[in-house]
Amino acid sequence: MYALMISIVTLFLCYNTLNATEKGTTIYHASNTIEGTLLYRERMILPAGSSVVITLEDLPYTDTPSTIIATKTFNAPKASPIAFSLTYDRNAIEPGRRYTLQAVVVHKGNTLFHSVSHEDPFHTPLTILLKRSSQKQQKPHIADIHWKLLRIENVAIASSEKLQDPNFILKKGNTVLGFTGCNRFVGTYTLQDEHIRFSQISATPMQCSKTMETEQAFKHVLQQARHYRVRDNILELFDDTNVIASFRAVHF
């Protein structure tokens, strides 16, 4: 009898282990909302107009850019602690992949605080320690750089050996030049702190059946862009709250 009970318990444990392995990361998904608190040790009041940016993204195993699953920007309180919540699409989480939650506090284009470790985002509530960024930090330089389009929202833009990749360059005199994947375009832009706006965009009138959907989405990104962030040669464009496109710097 004792041997039989041991066998039953062993089978039960083996089943649970296999079940957890098959489910992978999704085993933690009791909710599609991540909640937590951001803390910093310094006794300081955040400048008025500071913002908090929370980003859930995957951790790629190669040098490919990470995939942003969800992001949220909100007005920062006067000081630590900073409570946050982030809602994400559970269907975007793939078993076997690694995910992380990043947090930054920004003011007028400068990062005041940033998270220093890769937090497992699915064990909530989280407590994330922020590190004060260097006061010598300079505003990222984004002009006169070839920015290749990588993603629009969470949709990757496939590269082609035969076709030129969608891109844009911010030139002197507040002129933007680019290629949508079908047509070349020209327009104007303005930069102020971390804010960016595109206007007066005009393009050549070619019709390309294979790339028109990308072109329309790219034009919509330019219309909706309100501010930007640069991380590791990746330029992210935001609307009022979320990342709407990401680009990689290409140096010829």
Side-chain angles (χ1 to χ4, degrees):
M1 183 67 179
Y2 178 79
L4 178 61
M5 292 178 63
I6 293 296
S7 299
I8 293 174
V9 171
T10 302
L11 288 173
F12 177 78
L13 292 175
C14 290
Y15 172 80
N16 280 349
T17 300
L18 291 172
N19 193 39
T21 302
E22 291 175 355
K23 290 182 178 179
T25 307
T26 56
I27 193 171
Y28 304 119
H29 297 177
S31 170
N32 65 336
T33 300
I34 300 170
E35 297 180 337
T37 303
L38 308 177
L39 302 172
Y40 57 82
R41 294 191 176 99
E42 290 78 2
R43 295 183 178 180
M44 65 172 287
I45 300 298
L46 296 175
S50 296
S51 300
V52 179
V53 182
I54 306 293
T55 305
L56 172 64
E57 57 190 45
D58 72 350
L59 284 173
Y61 291 96
T62 64
D63 60 354
T64 57
S66 61
T67 301
I68 296 176
I69 307 301
T71 185
K72 180 179 182 180
T73 303
F74 59 94
N75 294 331
K78 292 183 178 181
S80 172
I82 303 171
F84 71 88
S85 64
L86 177 67
T87 301
Y88 64 96
D89 180 7
R90 281 181 287 183
N91 294 325
I93 304 301
E94 300 180 14
R97 293 190 66 86
R98 303 177 301 163
Y99 295 89
T100 181
L101 194 76
Q102 301 288 334
V104 294
V105 179
V106 297
H107 179 255
K108 293 186 176 181
N110 294 317
T111 300
L112 304 180
F113 292 91
H114 62 277
S115 53
V116 295
S117 62
H118 295 298
E119 300 291 340
D120 182 348
F122 304 121
H123 285 96
T124 62
L126 299 173
T127 299
I128 300 177
L129 181 64
L130 301 180
K131 179 180 178 181
R132 190 171 184 180
S133 300
S134 171
Q135 296 183 354
K136 295 181 180 180
Q137 181 185 34
Q138 297 180 350
K139 186 170 70 173
H141 177 73
I142 64 172
D144 293 317
I145 296 176
H146 181 104
W147 293 106
K148 172 186 172 182
L149 180 62
L150 296 179
R151 293 181 179 276
I152 296 180
E153 294 184 346
N154 287 326
V155 179
I157 305 301
S159 295
S160 171
E161 296 181 357
K162 297 181 180 180
L163 301 175
Q164 182 181 355
D165 293 317
N167 65 82
F168 73 85
I169 303 176
L170 303 178
K171 305 294 289 185
K172 295 180 180 179
N174 295 99
T175 298
V176 56
L177 303 175
F179 180 67
T180 64
C182 177
N183 288 286
R184 299 193 179 279
F185 67 87
V186 62
T188 61
Y189 72 92
T190 57
L191 288 176
Q192 184 177 5
D193 300 324
E194 76 275 18
H195 301 283
I196 187 169
R197 296 294 294 268
F198 297 94
S199 60
Q200 300 178 1
I201 301 295
S202 59
T204 53
M206 291 180 58
Q207 296 292 318
C208 308
S209 58
K210 295 183 179 180
T211 57
M212 288 305 295
E213 184 176 350
T214 298
E215 173 170 300
Q216 294 301 319
F218 194 175
K219 288 181 177 179
H220 184 71
V221 165
L222 297 177
Q223 293 171 355
Q224 298 299 315
R226 294 295 180 267
H227 59 281
Y228 70 93
R229 179 175 65 187
V230 178
R231 301 187 302 170
D232 300 328
N233 280 333
I234 301 297
L235 169 68
E236 297 171 329
L237 295 182
F238 292 73
D239 58 13
D240 291 325
T241 56
N242 298 313
V243 175
I244 55 176
S246 58
F247 302 77
R248 179 185 293 279
V250 178
H251 302 283
F252 297 100

